[in-house]
Amino acid sequence: MCRALYVLCLLFLLVACGSDDSSYTDIEDENRVLDFPQPDFFPSPTYDLEANPPTEKGFELGKKLFYDGRLSSTGVISCGFCHIQEFSFTHHTHIVSHGVNGALGTRNAQPLMNLAYMEDFSWDGSAAHLDAFPIIPITTDVEMNESVGNVIEKLKADEDYQSLFAAAFENENIDADNMFKALSQFLIMMVSADTKYDKVMQGNAVFSEEEASGKAVFEAKCASCHSGILFTDQSYRNNGLPINPEYNDIGRERVTGESDDRYKFKVPTLRNIALTYPYMHDGRFQTLSEVLNHYDSGMDHTENLDPIFINDNEIGIPLSDTEKSQLLAFLQSLTDDNFILDQRFSEF
Ligand code: HEC
Ligand code: HEC
């Protein structure tokens, strides 16, 4: 509360003193803009950092919100409940996510990292802006099953949140707009770019022979979709998974209404892939070996199967046992241990 008053006074001074530069400095001291950790070998962020620059207090607020069960109706399901840092912010071992009272969702929780570079969000791209994304988990009945209005009421009644919102945002409002902005400030700072692969690419490490061969197989057989430094071209494709009758998830068609998009899902990044099992939108594969067996010999010719997988009478990407072990070695080199140990993002 004191801090809120302090900021109010500063604002008053600002207005009163007009162009007095020293008051600006005071406000900056109060809430520093954070340096966005842009790796020089990454593309420019798609997230508008000028519209919502991550600040020290905004990040702190976003982190508190991310780990706060009060964003759910039962008070126990936080964002961090399904997005666990150790597993690159996925819901370790859960095939599909578990929300309030153990309710089952239909999809596997996605990793949270490098979100500042994504064009849209979720397996089918149903959210076009990161700031709009949290409405989905908060209000979905099998996830947090809460209303945004209720969440705001709970936050308004809490003194810690009163001072954090006041410190983080000039208008000091405890409202949905600021809550979503703070969550985004926390999420976009999660940049993961420090894997063995990155070190090799920067000339600071060397691949084993197995890894190097795996990289060559990957570039020949996988990189058309899992492309570039983010390991995704961010397109929607059908990679031939047999339809799971339990969910019959139509994927991208849910968003566009186009039958051409039936069974297409976002090409996922493969960064930290060794940590984010189980795999695919419905978590059907427990191991990367199962994933490789799927590409080699497990595909179904369902509607809109990507043409890349169709050759004469065969479907899939033929992989020998040697190529499979080389690919596995390469995929392991995409793990960023510093990211999952980074205290800035951890709950405690
Ligand atoms: C009950 C488990 C659960 C909870 C709680 C949850 N999520 Fe998720 N999250 C998921 C699942 C499952 C997906 C994939 C959704 C889909 O494709 O429909 C996902 C996807 C996402 C994505 C998209 C990532 C991408 O690459 O497109 C973001 C961002 C995200 N969650 C952030 C959050 C935030 C912020 C919260 C808290 C407000 C939250 N999640 C709470 C399970 C959960
Ligand atoms: C035509 C594009 C395309 C090609 C080529 C391709 N993939 Fe995929 N990959 C996808 C899509 C789309 C998904 C998500 C499918 C889903 O869940 O419905 C995916 C999912 C995955 C996953 C699971 C990721 C996760 O987070 O659950 C792994 C691992 C993977 N691919 C590895 C590979 C490897 C290795 C190759 C080469 C042998 C390859 N992919 C070739 C499009 C492709």
Side-chain angles (χ1 to χ4, degrees), residues 276-342:
T276 64
Y277 53 93
Y279 300 109
M280 304 298 170
H281 68 268
D282 55 4
R284 67 177 65 197
F285 299 131
Q286 290 299 320
T287 63
L288 286 170
S289 297
E290 285 175 60
V291 170
L292 298 184
N293 290 341
H294 161 75
Y295 280 109
D296 175 36
S297 58
M299 277 189 202
D300 262 6
H301 198 154
T302 51
E303 251 175 290
N304 303 314
L305 175 65
D306 202 274
I308 288 180
F309 301 120
I310 306 168
N311 318 291
D312 304 328
N313 306 322
E314 302 259 317
I315 54 168
I317 305 177
L319 295 167
S320 68
D321 286 349
T322 314
E323 286 174 318
K324 285 181 192 169
S325 15
Q326 292 166 339
L327 273 174
L328 288 178
F330 174 71
L331 293 172
Q332 299 287 340
S333 81
L334 301 178
T335 302
D336 180 350
D337 291 321
N338 291 330
F339 175 68
I340 61 161
L341 295 172
D342 192 332

Side-chain angles (χ1 to χ4, degrees), residues 16-61:
C17 307
S19 62
D20 184 352
D21 282 349
S22 61
S23 332
Y24 282 105
T25 322
D26 285 352
I27 284 202
E28 273 167 21
D29 285 351
E30 181 66 15
N31 188 19
R32 203 167 50 87
V33 174
L34 298 175
D35 282 333
F36 179 73
Q38 171 71 21
D40 53 16
F41 49 95
F42 265 36
S44 310
T46 47
Y47 192 84
D48 188 344
L49 292 165
E50 274 172 31
N52 183 28
T55 62
E56 205 168 34
K57 299 293 178 194
F59 179 90
E60 192 184 326
L61 172 59

Side-chain angles (χ1 to χ4, degrees), residues 67 84-90 111-113 191-194 271-272 274-276 334-347:
Y67 287 112
I84 305 169
Q85 182 174 16
E86 212 181 328
F87 310 103
S88 197
F89 294 99
T90 56
L112 305 181
M113 62 182 156
V191 173
S192 176
D194 192 18
R271 285 184 171 271
N272 291 326
L275 306 173
T276 64
L334 301 178
T335 302
D336 180 350
D337 291 321
N338 291 330
F339 175 68
I340 61 161
L341 295 172
D342 192 332
Q343 284 297 315
R344 288 177 303 164
F345 306 122
S346 67
E347 183 167 9

Side-chain angles (χ1 to χ4, degrees), residues 121-139:
F121 303 90
S122 93
W123 281 105
D124 54 23
S126 53
H129 199 289
L130 186 59
D131 297 3
F133 189 88
I135 298 172
I136 303 174
I138 291 174
T139 59

Side-chain angles (χ1 to χ4, degrees), residues 77-79 82-83 97-99 107 109-110 112 121-123 133 137:
I77 307 293
S78 65
C79 311
C82 294
H83 295 286
S97 61
H98 290 211
R107 290 189 180 162
Q110 292 169 293
L112 305 181
F121 303 90
S122 93
W123 281 105
F133 189 88

